[in-house]
Each structure stands twice: as C-alpha cells, then as structure tokens.
Amino acid sequence: MGFFDFGTIFFLIAAVVIFFQLRNVLGRRTGSERPPFDPYSASRTREQEAAQSSENVVSLPRKRLPGETAAETYAAIDAFAKPDTDLNKGLRTIKDNDASFEPKGFVDGAKQAYEMIVMAYADGDRKTLKNLLSREVYDGFVAAIGEREAKSEKIQSSFVGIDKADIVAAEMKGSEAHITLRIVSELISATRDKAGAVIDGDPETVAEVKDVWTFARDARSRDPNWKLVATEEED
C-alpha cells in the first residue's frame, strides 16, 4: 500500500461503485436482445418482400368451378360493367379465354403493380421493373433511368395513394388479353440534380397524376402474371 495515497484509493473505490451502478442500470447482454432498428435495413427488407410478391401481382387462377352456369360465369363482369357495352363484351371475351378471370381481382392486383412500378422507376430498381414490364416498356424505362444516372440526377418520391383505378377497355389480341386502366394517383415527387437542387417537381407538394396503362397476358401461358405493355399520361 506504500505506492497508493489516500486520493488514489478514493478514485479506485469511486470507479468500482460507478461500474456496479452502470451494470444494474444497463443489465447484462444475454444474446437474446432485439437488434437496434436500422431504417435502411427495414427498407431493403420491404423492397425484397415486394419484389418477391411481384411474381404473383395481378395473377389469375386457372381452374373453372365445376357445374358453373353461363349466368354465374359472367355475373361478376355484368356487375362490374354494364351489359351490352363494349367494355362488358371485351371482359366477357377475356373470361371466355380464361375461365377464372375476375375484373375486381384484376384491378386490385393492378393497383399494387402500379405503385410498385412507379416507386421502382424512381429508385432505379431494374430488377423489380423487369418482373412487371413487357420487354419494350422495360427498355424504355431503363433508358430513362440510365439517362438520369448519367447526369447524376435522382428522383425523390413518396407514394400517397390511388384515388381511382377504372378499367376503360378490354380485348383479346390473338391469344393475348389486353386490359387498359385509367389510374388517378397522388404522388410527392421531385427530381434533383448532382448538387441536390430541385430541377423538376416539388418535394413539399402532393401532385395528382393521371395515367392510362395497359396490361397484357397470354391466355395460353401457364404463367398467371400480367405485365405492363403500354403507358400514357393524361394532361
């Protein structure tokens, strides 16, 4: 003890007391604690789940119900579109080529696909887009993304929601079913240049967007998924 004076002993005792107090407050690690929340990791997880679920977006089952009558076959279509209209006839034709097609289920799936496509385009997510777009539309989207990246521009987007999604046309083109929807959505979007300055849109304003999109699917294919084959933006 000759090497320790009273001050040294005092600080050693104080250090031991502080250590035990911290241990009581913070507790011990047992290996079962929840990991700290990482918003970027959570975002990537949601994107991965969305990409996986995209394989079944706007899908159609393949089996007709046994004993189904003609009236029952078209009941959902007649409730969706007025009988004897061009839209009703087009939907019935698609039903004739795929017995389990239902317009409401299609619209629900198309709305999900719409949000995924809009956000994937903003994020430059080529993998998700490839699962949801036809080759021609995909090439156009990728070209626009590549041009944006070459300029070091970025799109900052937040999807607010879809106000309306209405089927406006339906027809068979050979073995392919084509359905066109008019979609009215709300989106916050702004394009920033390399320096971060806003060059298009407004990061603080919710904008109404009106799109006319056409989805298609080969009725003979075992693949139940529909893909976006044409896009048009209303003024």
Side-chain angles (χ1 to χ4, degrees):
M1 297 294 290
F3 294 99
F4 295 93
D5 57 20
F6 177 77
T8 302
I9 295 174
F10 173 80
F11 284 114
L12 284 173
I13 295 173
V16 171
V17 171
I18 292 172
F19 170 77
F20 280 105
Q21 286 179 336
L22 288 173
R23 188 170 183 174
N24 289 334
V25 172
L26 299 178
R28 301 179 180 178
R29 294 189 63 84
T30 65
S32 61
E33 295 85 359
R34 294 180 61 186
F37 176 68
D38 180 355
Y40 298 99
S41 175
S43 176
R44 287 192 295 269
T45 300
R46 286 193 296 270
E47 290 172 359
Q48 291 170 357
E49 291 174 350
Q52 292 171 355
S53 66
S54 70
E55 296 179 358
N56 294 317
V57 170
V58 203
S59 62
L60 297 175
R62 299 292 297 166
K63 296 181 180 179
R64 178 191 292 271
L65 296 175
E68 188 176 51
T69 66
E72 291 171 336
T73 298
Y74 300 121
I77 291 175
D78 291 346
F80 189 87
K82 188 176 180 180
D84 296 325
T85 61
D86 289 339
L87 177 58
N88 183 280
K89 293 175 182 177
L91 292 173
R92 282 186 173 219
T93 301
I94 293 174
K95 182 77 171 181
D96 291 340
N97 285 270
D98 193 307
S100 54
F101 168 74
E102 298 295 342
K104 185 180 182 304
F106 172 86
V107 171
D108 290 342
K111 288 164 67 175
Q112 295 176 36
Y114 177 87
E115 179 178 352
M116 292 175 64
I117 291 169
V118 169
M119 296 309 298
Y121 173 74
D123 295 338
D125 183 354
R126 294 170 173 81
K127 183 178 180 180
T128 296
L129 291 174
K130 192 170 186 178
N131 291 330
L132 298 169
L133 311 180
S134 69
R135 179 61 182 271
E136 293 77 11
V137 176
Y138 175 76
D139 288 345
F141 275 44
V142 168
I145 291 172
E147 181 179 350
R148 188 174 75 215
E149 292 174 341
K151 297 177 181 178
S152 297
E153 296 175 353
K154 293 184 178 180
I155 296 180
Q156 173 188 345
S157 290
S158 295
F159 193 86
V160 178
I162 294 176
D163 292 333
K164 291 182 180 180
D166 300 319
I167 296 178
V168 295
E171 63 179 331
M172 291 295 300
K173 292 184 176 181
S175 64
E176 279 196 343
H178 286 243
I179 298 181
T180 301
L181 300 97
R182 180 178 182 271
I183 301 171
V184 180
S185 64
E186 291 185 334
L187 185 71
I188 301 173
S189 182
T191 302
R192 297 182 182 273
D193 63 16
K194 186 177 182 179
V198 176
I199 57 176
D200 188 35
D202 187 338
E204 304 296 333
T205 302
V206 177
E208 183 180 73
V209 180
K210 299 177 181 179
D211 288 304
V212 178
W213 284 16
T214 300
F215 290 88
R217 175 185 173 275
D218 189 339
R220 300 173 304 180
S221 174
R222 298 174 66 87
D223 182 358
N225 302 319
W226 295 69
K227 291 194 173 185
L228 180 65
V229 298
T231 65
E232 181 181 348
E233 184 175 345
E234 284 190 356
D235 297 329

